């Protein structure tokens, strides 16, 4: 259910991003070259055009002549990315980077913490030892950086340290979870407090999802506005220059 909520929240922003990419490709490769043909013929070539127009036309010419290179580069890049991310160390670096991305990193951390809290509370309330529960819960996080943190937590708990201390030192888990675990260990009611905290973290995930769905579309619209403004400048600047020349 959590995964469906996250995918549903990110569907619209990704759809907007795809529409932006498609519109830019159509404008650059089809619309602008046709609009610029009479201007280029009247102005004496592309070298006399303003810099934004030259950039757009150069991009259009490159895509029109080397489209197969672009497609091949995408395929090769995708294969290289999958090969790079398959290495455990690279995956760890990538997952650490994902946690630092504004909004998206916060959403990923909130989802992982909610899943971790709910699973750990369920397993410990069922009578499983804390170390075995940590080993099982580790694989539900979906982030190698947080999984590595749980490995370190498990190692220190094995040495006799309380669970809250290594969770706090990892820096990847929210202070609320650390406080809940600390109080649960001191009061002997860790299972019940984890279950109650999981409900609070589920609500936090819903709040973060709403924040992401409201923040990402305006960001994409601003990006689209900047691109559209640059393309519009590429079209209008030579027209204004021709008008001033005729006057």
């Amino acid at each position: 259910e959590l995964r469906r909520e996250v995918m549903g929240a990110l569907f619209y922003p990704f759809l907007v991003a795809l529409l932006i990419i498609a519109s830019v490709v159509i404008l650059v490769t089809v619309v602008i070259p046709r609009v610029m043909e009479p201007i280029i013929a009247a102005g004496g070539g592309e070298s006399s055009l303003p810099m934004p127009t030259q950039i757009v036309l150069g991009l259009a010419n490159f895509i029109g002549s080397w489209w197969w290179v672009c497609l091949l580069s995408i395929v090769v890049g995708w294969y290289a990315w999958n090969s790079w991310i398959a290495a455990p160390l690279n995956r760890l670096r990538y997952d650490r980077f994902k946690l630092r991305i504004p909004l998206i990193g916060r959403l990923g951390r909130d989802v992982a913490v909610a899943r971790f809290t709910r699973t750990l509370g369920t397993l410990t309330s069922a009578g499983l030892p804390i170390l075995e529960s940590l080993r099982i819960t580790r694989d539900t996080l979906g982030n190698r950086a947080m999984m590595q943190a749980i490995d370190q937590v498990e190692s220190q708990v094995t040495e006799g340290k309380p669970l809250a201390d290594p969770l706090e030192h990892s820096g990847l888990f929210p202070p609320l979870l650390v406080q809940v675990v600390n109080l649960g260990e001191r009061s002997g009611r860790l299972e019940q407090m984890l279950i109650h905290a999981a409900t609070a973290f589920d609500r936090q995930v819903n709040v973060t999802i709403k924040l992401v769905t409201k923040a990402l579309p305006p960001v994409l619209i601003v990006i689209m506005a900047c691109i559209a403004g640059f393309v519009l400048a590429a079209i209008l600047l030579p027209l204004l220059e021709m008008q001033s020349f005729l006057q």
Side-chain angles (χ1 to χ4, degrees):
E1 182 180 356
L2 204 58
R3 187 179 294 110
R4 285 197 301 268
E5 290 181 359
V6 173
M7 295 302 297
L10 296 180
F11 175 76
Y12 176 70
F14 281 136
L15 180 61
V16 173
L18 289 177
L19 291 176
I20 290 174
I21 295 173
S23 61
V24 169
V25 171
I26 293 174
L27 280 173
V28 170
T29 59
V30 179
V31 177
I32 292 180
R34 293 182 180 179
V35 174
M36 291 293 107
E37 282 181 4
I39 299 176
I40 294 173
E46 293 185 9
S47 59
S48 61
L49 296 174
M51 184 58 65
T53 309
Q54 293 184 35
I55 293 174
V56 173
L57 288 177
L59 182 60
N61 294 332
F62 176 80
I63 294 177
S65 302
W66 302 96
W67 59 269
W68 58 274
V69 175
C70 297
L71 292 178
L72 183 61
S73 300
I74 292 174
V75 174
V76 173
W78 180 255
Y79 176 78
W81 168 255
N82 287 333
S83 300
W84 183 84
I85 204 69
L89 182 59
N90 295 333
R91 181 71 190 196
L92 177 62
R93 293 171 178 170
Y94 175 63
D95 285 349
R96 284 176 178 169
F97 170 75
K98 285 194 301 184
L99 293 175
R100 300 189 186 102
I101 300 175
L103 293 180
I104 301 297
R106 177 180 171 181
L107 177 59
R109 192 189 75 158
D110 287 348
V111 170
V113 168
R115 187 185 298 131
F116 170 82
T117 308
R118 177 77 62 185
T119 307
L120 184 63
T122 303
L123 293 176
T124 52
S125 62
L128 269 70
I130 186 64
L131 291 177
E132 186 175 354
S133 300
L134 285 172
R135 295 189 192 101
I136 298 173
T137 308
R138 170 192 180 276
D139 297 328
T140 68
L141 290 171
N143 185 287
R144 291 293 178 89
M146 301 186 76
M147 292 167 67
Q148 185 184 62
I150 293 302
D151 289 337
Q152 297 173 356
V153 168
E154 180 186 344
S155 176
Q156 296 186 41
V157 171
T158 304
E159 296 174 358
K161 295 183 179 179
L163 179 60
D165 291 345
L167 282 177
E168 183 178 10
H169 293 157
S170 68
L172 297 178
F173 296 90
L176 176 59
L177 177 61
V178 176
Q179 294 173 7
V180 166
V181 172
N182 188 18
L183 292 175
E185 287 181 316
R186 291 183 178 183
S187 62
R189 300 175 62 248
L190 178 62
E191 302 85 356
Q192 295 90 334
M193 297 195 68
L194 284 174
I195 295 296
H196 289 302
T199 304
F201 287 126
D202 288 338
R203 288 196 297 266
Q204 180 62 41
V205 169
N206 292 329
V207 172
T208 307
I209 288 175
K210 293 179 181 178
L211 179 63
V212 170
T213 54
K214 291 182 179 179
L216 275 184
V219 171
L220 295 175
I221 290 174
V222 170
I223 295 173
M224 182 61 183
C226 294
I227 295 173
F230 185 82
V231 172
L232 185 62
I235 297 174
L236 292 181
L237 286 177
L239 294 176
L240 295 175
E241 288 185 358
M242 286 186 63
Q243 184 179 7
S244 61
F245 177 77
L246 293 175
Q247 291 176 351

